[in-house]
Amino acid sequence: MIKKDLSDCHNRITPYIHRTPILTSRQLNNISGATIYFKCENFQRMGAFKMRGAANAILQLSKDQLDKGVVTHSSGNFAQAVSLAAQSLGTKAYIVMPSTAPQVKKDAVIGYGGEVIECPPTLEDREHAAALIQKEKGATFLHPSNDYEVILGQGTAAVELLEDQPDLEYIFTPIGGGGLIAGSALAAHFYGNNCNVIGSEPFEVDDAYRSLQSGTIETNETINTIADGLKTQLGDINFPIIQKYVSEIIRVEEDEIIAAMRLIWERMKIIIESSCAVPFAALLREKDRFASKKIGIILSGGNVDLDHLPF
């Protein structure tokens, strides 16, 4: 059933997304000791994998729901994804964004036709503001990661990766809210050949790592990381999927994220954002374990504030 859900989802969203390229780098293979296939979701429409989940979720709505619009809260990429997907499908998007979100991401939301509503930078404030818009406008709430239709959409990146490289032994993804890794884990289980999914997150926001250890959803006391897309926490829909299908989560230091990001910029000549560098940083941190393995890495996005690069 889940494999059919993934297949139906992929067919549904295909007209609204790019099938992103898979790139390789001999230099990065030499540095890591592994054979790496980078799934470049930084080349996706609006610059990140989240277009997949947003498109799928909106395509599942009724005409009445589409007439009233959609609302979400997001620090950046899901905000842009919902705005562009809503514009593509002829509905209104209300986007609650923390006041601390990069201006480049706020500008992009507006450019895609979304209406930005700013709020203080806490999850509670974001949820409260989104609930008010739901009540006032009748808009349908789309959760950035804890929504089955969103999870399926995000999983299609890994489906495509495995269609092109069916013999992958591992897929590495970043982990923030949990939508990408949950979808990727489902894809690996139903489309892969003994392919394990490994999550990666900063030590500074290691709630997912601790959640797997404790068996309950943990939160973060601080969010002091350059990986701004990974500051959110797991939800009750994606966490059971992660518990069942994700092999492990590797944590990395801030300087490792910056080094990995810089290597990809320098050696591959492509732009990736800091959150996107976390899986490659995790592979480099544990490279002796993964030497000679065939590894897929989902490069989750390329929406960078060029005025605030970490190098």
Side-chain angles (χ1 to χ4, degrees), residues 4-212:
K4 185 178 186 304
D5 288 347
L6 279 166
S7 176
D8 289 347
C9 169
H10 196 213
N11 291 335
R12 189 182 303 122
I13 68 174
T14 291
Y16 302 97
I17 63 165
H18 297 320
R19 187 179 181 108
T20 51
I22 297 168
L23 299 184
T24 59
S25 166
R26 189 178 300 171
Q27 288 182 311
L28 295 187
N29 286 349
N30 289 339
I31 290 168
S32 68
T35 302
I36 309 171
Y37 299 89
F38 293 95
K39 177 65 170 169
C40 294
E41 288 295 292
N42 52 323
F43 295 152
Q44 186 54 262
R45 291 185 71 198
M46 54 66 53
F49 74 93
K50 293 197 173 184
M51 184 64 186
R52 296 172 179 272
N56 190 50
I58 294 175
L59 281 163
Q60 299 290 70
L61 300 181
S62 68
K63 184 182 183 303
D64 181 58
Q65 288 173 311
L66 290 172
D67 288 343
K68 293 176 181 174
V70 293
V71 58
T72 193
H73 57 77
S74 166
S75 62
N77 282 339
F78 196 68
Q80 294 177 59
V82 169
S83 299
L84 180 55
Q87 185 183 68
S88 300
L89 293 162
T91 190
K92 172 76 175 174
Y94 302 96
I95 311 295
V96 175
M97 299 186 77
S99 55
T100 54
Q103 188 60 44
V104 65
K105 294 188 176 182
K106 294 176 187 173
D107 292 343
V109 167
I110 295 165
Y112 291 135
E115 182 178 323
V116 173
I117 299 94
E118 291 196 25
C119 71
T122 70
L123 184 60
E124 292 76 17
D125 285 306
R126 285 160 60 156
E127 290 175 343
H128 177 68
L132 277 179
I133 294 166
Q134 271 184 282
K135 187 176 180 181
E136 291 171 4
K137 307 287 187 181
T140 299
F141 178 69
L142 302 180
H143 195 282
S145 54
N146 196 44
D147 177 301
Y148 185 62
E149 299 301 338
V150 170
I151 290 166
L152 288 175
Q154 317 306 32
T156 61
V159 170
E160 291 175 3
L161 179 56
L162 287 162
E163 284 177 348
D164 292 346
Q165 297 294 331
D167 55 348
L168 291 179
E169 295 167 86
Y170 296 93
I171 293 176
F172 279 62
T173 82
I175 181 164
L180 176 62
I181 193 166
S184 299
L186 291 175
H189 181 76
F190 290 101
Y191 283 84
N193 180 20
N194 294 318
C195 179
N196 294 298
V197 170
I198 293 182
S200 54
E201 65 182 349
F203 276 98
E204 293 289 339
V205 285
D206 67 346
D207 54 298
Y209 175 88
R210 288 182 285 109
S211 297
L212 277 190

Side-chain angles (χ1 to χ4, degrees), residues 193-253:
N193 180 20
N194 294 318
C195 179
N196 294 298
V197 170
I198 293 182
S200 54
E201 65 182 349
F203 276 98
E204 293 289 339
V205 285
D206 67 346
D207 54 298
Y209 175 88
R210 288 182 285 109
S211 297
L212 277 190
Q213 302 295 312
S214 70
T216 59
I217 296 173
E218 302 286 346
T219 57
N220 292 305
E221 300 269 320
T222 63
I223 50 172
N224 185 28
T225 177
I226 62 164
D228 63 286
L230 307 185
K231 294 178 179 180
T232 50
Q233 67 186 58
L234 306 180
D236 60 350
I237 297 172
N238 61 49
F239 183 47
I241 297 171
I242 293 164
Q243 284 181 300
K244 185 171 182 179
Y245 294 113
V246 172
S247 300
E248 64 175 302
I249 296 172
I250 297 171
R251 297 173 294 173
V252 294
E253 302 284 1

